[in-house]
Amino acid sequence: GAVVSQHPSRVICKSGTSVKIECRSLDFQATTMFWYRQFPKQSLMLMATSNEGSKATYEQGVEKDKFLINHASLTLSTLTVTSAHPEDSSFYICSYSGGSYEQYFGPGTRLTVT
Amino acid sequence: QKEVEQDPGPLSVPEGAIVSLNCTYSNSAFQYFMWYRQYSRKGPELLMYTYSSGNKEDGRFTAQVDKSSKYISLFIRDSQPSDSATYLCATATQGGSEKLVFGKGTKLTVNP
């Protein structure tokens, strides 16, 4: 399967600051990628879908001005959590579409907002 | 009712046991069914992928889909301690948006 990396793997930030998470596809190019959030003992919840070169499509209830997604190239996408608050603490995971509904996930980023 | 229901467990079995993991779903439009394995603090990795009803086998793993009852299963034969992980079922429609809907995941522990 495809190799996807995320950076950082873990980040702790203070309330009110912004955090950027990078997602890279290391061995293939993908036009569509997804950002998920996973709370403890909960399922992965899709936050947004983005296509390279166009604006992301956000799921209902996800604030697009708070979670900024930039799909700058076929191998790089970033998620910026702006003005983070403790309730934003979660495990954020990106994935790239491999077609036929296969998705390849990154290792995730653990965000803790104090 | 959630679109995909999955018993979160936890499930603990001895090494060598046959494991049965199950999900139910409510949307009859779902056509694609997947099982992902997620180790602690890692991203999910695709285990099995099936389209519509039927069985699919890959080594010690067998995935079953029964669309008439909206029931999907994953069987693990000769379970190993390395199989200890959280297993998530996922579904998708034919809509082409490639959005996956996940179950909560079942935490499995295989004891040596």
Side-chain angles (χ1 to χ4, degrees), chain A residues 10 32 34 36 38 41-46 49 59 91 93 97-108 110, chain B residues 2 8 32 34 36 38 41-46 49 88 92-105:
Chain A
R10 180 176 293 187
T32 302
F34 306 88
Y36 292 86
Q38 187 177 34
K41 298 184 180 180
Q42 297 294 319
S43 182
L44 280 81
M45 297 300 296
L46 180 65
T49 303
E59 294 298 299
F91 193 53
I93 309 175
S97 170
S100 299
Y101 299 93
E102 292 185 54
Q103 290 188 19
Y104 302 101
F105 288 83
R110 173 80 54 194
Chain B
K2 291 186 183 298
Y32 297 84
M34 289 135 282
Y36 283 84
Q38 185 177 22
R41 299 188 180 90
K42 301 292 184 184
E45 57 177 326
L46 182 65
Y49 161 66
L88 301 108
T93 68
Q94 268 186 322
S97 65
E98 302 178 332
K99 289 167 57 172
L100 299 182
V101 179
F102 283 88
K104 276 190 175 182

Side-chain angles (χ1 to χ4, degrees), chain A residues 44-111:
Chain A
L44 280 81
M45 297 300 296
L46 180 65
M47 298 175 67
T49 303
S50 74
N51 292 297
E52 186 263 343
S54 61
K55 289 185 177 180
T57 301
Y58 291 81
E59 294 298 299
Q60 191 173 12
V62 178
E63 299 175 59
K64 62 180 181 181
D65 294 330
K66 182 172 184 60
F67 298 99
L68 302 179
I69 292 172
N70 184 0
H71 194 162
S73 74
L74 292 172
T75 59
L76 173 65
S77 176
T78 60
L79 168 68
T80 301
V81 183
T82 62
S83 187
H85 291 284
E87 58 265 30
D88 298 323
S89 298
S90 187
F91 193 53
Y92 291 87
I93 309 175
C94 66
S95 72
Y96 279 91
S97 170
S100 299
Y101 299 93
E102 292 185 54
Q103 290 188 19
Y104 302 101
F105 288 83
T109 297
R110 173 80 54 194
L111 170 64

